[in-house]
Every structure is written in C-alpha cells, then in structure tokens.
Amino acid sequence: MTTAVQPPLPERPPLRLRLAPHGGLPRAIDGAWWPHSDDLLTELPHLLAGLPTAWGHISSVTVNGGAWSALPGRILVVNQVVRLTTNATTAAPHTIVLIAPGEGRWDLLVVPPGATEDAAGPLMSAAGAFR
C-alpha cells in the first residue's frame, strides 16, 4: 500500500458542498459534493477542509473506483493519514463515504465534475434537503 503526500493546498475555486440539516435521525444521504475534477487526490483535501469541525477527523474515505482516477491506499491531508478504499458495487456509484472514528459516518452524493450548473443545481439542493 502506498501513501501519497500532498503539497500545500493551492488556490482553488470555492468548495461546492451542500449538507443536509443536522438532526437526530439517520439519513440515507448527508449532503452533496460537486468536485471540480475527477482527481480525488486534488479534490479530497479541499472537501475535508470544508467539512464541519463537529464531524471530527475523517480517517477513512470510500469511493466508487470507476468514478475516479487512480488512487493510492492512503493520502496525507494536513499531516494526518486518510485511508482510501474503493467499492465497485453499483448500489451507490455516485457517493462518497466519510468515516470519523467515534464521531460517525457521512454519505455524500457526488455530482459528476463535468455536470452543468443546470444539472448540478437541483441535485445539490435535493441532497441538502434530505432528512
């Protein structure tokens, strides 16, 4: 298993993330993320930096292997190792699962990077409204 070391985060466009309101009941989806590219090694550090601090340290991320470019087994994000795993199941091909030990699990809908504003907007809004 290899570990990819990330350089300092370059200037990037704003994070396109919409989270569902926090509540006591579990949800099927916790929000939506619209990355700017299919390069998870570039996109993931920005996603993790934009998450609520209440979610804790995300130590494990699971994505659909067919949706992203090649992935190492781990990535270093802000001096912390994040384990990357892929899931080839078709049950949830457009999701990313974030795990923070002792804090919880969050499932985000991933809007394809090449989606137009017209296509992505309703998906982001709907995912942010899930309860």
Side-chain angles (χ1 to χ4, degrees):
M1 187 178 298
T2 61
T3 299
V5 178
Q6 289 298 114
L9 299 178
E11 189 67 31
R12 301 254 318 145
L15 178 65
R16 300 182 293 193
L17 177 66
R18 175 90 187 252
L19 300 177
H22 179 68
L25 299 175
R27 292 179 293 276
I29 200 85
D30 297 292
W33 175 45
W34 183 16
H36 295 276
S37 76
D38 68 352
D39 182 356
L40 191 63
L41 297 180
T42 298
E43 299 291 340
L44 187 61
H46 296 283
L47 171 63
L48 298 182
L51 295 175
T53 56
W55 285 21
H57 166 65
I58 303 298
S59 65
S60 178
V61 174
T62 302
V63 297
N64 181 289
W68 300 96
S69 54
L71 300 174
R74 297 175 293 204
I75 181 175
L76 189 62
V77 178
V78 191
N79 295 323
Q80 295 191 17
V81 174
V82 176
R83 184 172 167 244
L84 299 176
T85 57
T86 59
N87 185 349
T89 181
T90 57
H94 299 290
T95 60
I96 184 169
V97 178
L98 309 170
I99 305 285
E103 298 294 335
R105 169 189 167 145
W106 295 274
D107 292 40
L108 300 177
L109 171 72
V110 178
V111 177
T116 65
E117 183 73 39
D118 289 341
L123 292 171
M124 298 290 287
S125 294
F130 273 88
R131 293 180 195 256

